[in-house]
Amino acid sequence: MKLLALLLAAALAPLCQAAPADTQRTAAWFTAHRDRPPMLRQFLQRMPKGADLHSHISGAIYAESYLKWAAEANYCVDTAKLAFVPPPCSAGGTLVLAGKLPTSTYSSLVDRMSTRNQAYAGQSGHDQFFDTFGVFGPVSGIPDRFVSMEAELADRAAGQHIQHLELMTTFQSGAVRKLGGGLPWAAESDFSRRRQWLLDNGLARLVEAGRKDLDALDAAYRQTQGCGTPAAKPGCAVSVRWLQQTTRTGPPEQVFAQLAYAFELAKADKRVVGLNLVAPEDDPVALRDYHLQMEMLGFLSQQAPGVKIALHAGELTLGLVPPEALHSHIRDAVLLAGAHRIGHAVDIGYEDAARETLKTMKEKGVAAEICLTSNDVILGVKGRDHPFPDYLAAGVPVVLASDDEGVSRIDLSNEYLRAALGYGLAYRQLKQLSRNSLEYSFLPGASLWRDAACRKDAPGSARPSAPCQAFLAGSEKASRQWALEAEFETFEKMPEWRQAAKR
Ligand SMILES: [Zn+2]
């Protein structure tokens, strides 16, 4: 563990500042309480954590919220199937109003919509995890509930001192897939001609429709949360941006249309900061078409080089798929698709050119989004079998992310705790991961740490110099980074951390 700690310290060193006394004292408190998980949890809950960059909005909602919204919308529950039935429905037989569920049924539904009770599930964590989406789907699909979902996540983030979220969702999902389905893959497999066909046949109209969806969502969100009023909810202080999803298990004509749409939407609307591929990577279609999909991304990225790409890649392990499927997903995502961030990246140990891929990720600044609980639940990969320390030791930029905090029954603070308890990370290292989450976010603007404008200023100070102020005003990313440094200063001055000796 000591060697590992040294390796990690070296990997994290470049962006770290010289530690002032408050930082040292805070770090000492953390070390002194290393064997006290509840105390560490308390510390990490309060610690500023920058951003959560890998979060699926529907999977991040807790089952209890879905049950509440189902009740409010007069849904029924089929108690035999443990499934929601939309209104109009009337109680009788196996149907019970969602607002009048017996406690045991309510509890079973929470089990069914999460991975909290593996004994209940009677199936693998992988299958239980992915099955949940079909159960809460009818409720998450109620149009005005999307606002409630965003509000739940933003408020929860604020409560954990997270200031930025990049949430995955799919705008205009059905319409885009329908458009793509209008030209079978066998009839046209040339990327350029297919893209042009989409543009000629309504893709731009769907971009406008997507932007209108975003306008309506923003307006409803601000009203629901009271943003800009004295009664503003805490989530109003959190910046929320969107990553447009493509379902990787669809036929090629639909996948291509969804990807082309994601690039166009991100180009047209700054609220959509990038895109991602979702659905199980081990699905037979996803495996069959993986290389083709990476080539699609590479091509489309050339048409829109400014659009950022985050990809689930290497969310696999031996046994889940044959060894042949483990050789190159991460490498292909980095080299063929030009991904800027890799989600999960768990199977690196099985890849043919793992060392070169790690080196490339380090050199190109391709971040690994590490989702420790998700990988444990879905893949059964945890502890020393997880490559988290290997990414750190290789100097690959790393962020911690929650993935689906509602289904997994966690939050981002929990992932920091896992990193501390499971991998021995010290306070200074966790602080660096927090900084990384803004550094490798897709927020626009230059990085505070890579531009000279604020070099002579103390990061986070209340009165930055004039050149620094001008720079911060022109960079959303840097201004968030500045705010994070200010939060760290406040955090490290808290009297609680002076109690290291009085345990
Ligand atoms: Zn994910």
Side-chain angles (χ1 to χ4, degrees), residues 1 62-63 87 165 172 186 194 241 284 315 337 367 404 445 464 480 496:
M1 186 60 90
Y62 270 68
L165 293 174
Q172 293 291 315
R194 175 167 282 276
R241 296 291 185 277
E315 191 185 3
D404 297 88
R480 284 278 167 194
E496 285 92 324

Side-chain angles (χ1 to χ4, degrees), residues 54 56 168 312 344 403-404:
H54 187 126
H56 303 262
M168 281 174 265
H312 288 71
H344 301 287
D403 203 9
D404 297 88

Side-chain angles (χ1 to χ4, degrees), residues 54-56 129 168 276-278 312 315 343-344 369 371 374 378 402-404:
H54 187 126
S55 173
H56 303 262
F129 175 87
M168 281 174 265
N276 210 321
L277 275 172
V278 297
H312 288 71
E315 191 185 3
H344 301 287
E369 302 162 350
C371 307
S374 171
I378 299 175
S402 61
D403 203 9
D404 297 88

